[in-house]
Structures are given as C-alpha cells and as structure tokens.
Amino acid sequence: MYGLYDKEGILRFVDSDKDACIAYAELFELGSTNYCLMDLASDTKKGTATNLHQNLGGNNN
C-alpha cells in the first residue's frame, strides 16, 4: 500500500499501486518536489512488534 503526501504532510491519496499514486500527483500537477510517496505496508510491519503493555506500565502512579 502506498500513500502520497503533500509537502505539508497531508495524506492526499492511498493505493496499492505505486504508479497510480504517481498518476494522481501528475493529474493535479504536483511536481516531484511537492510530494513524497511512502510504502505504508512496510511501515505497518515495523509497528506490529510494539508491546503496549510495557509502554503503558511506566505511566502508572
């Protein structure tokens, strides 16, 4: 899954096809310096290893 973010960090388009995201940017005449394309699938894999119980335990008083 790919997400296309504008230069202000706002998610503008999500698709499973990288070329579709690029076509969206071209449709709205976004130059390559005005957006970034992120592979969201690889980002979610990194977050699945987080153990929330450990993180929340430090906040108990």
Side-chain angles (χ1 to χ4, degrees):
M1 183 68 63
Y2 292 92
L4 183 125
Y5 293 83
D6 69 11
K7 66 181 178 180
E8 283 141 22
I10 298 172
L11 179 62
R12 296 292 181 186
F13 188 74
V14 174
D15 197 283
S16 60
D17 183 16
K18 180 180 178 180
D19 293 331
C21 288
I22 294 170
Y24 178 89
E26 290 173 355
L27 177 67
F28 289 96
E29 299 177 353
L30 296 174
S32 61
T33 58
N34 292 326
Y35 71 87
C36 69
L37 188 62
M38 300 186 85
D39 184 355
L40 300 177
S42 67
D43 288 345
T44 57
K45 290 177 187 172
K46 292 176 187 174
T48 57
T50 302
N51 186 342
L52 295 177
H53 296 294
Q54 284 181 332
N55 295 338
L56 295 175
N59 294 329
N60 290 337
N61 293 358

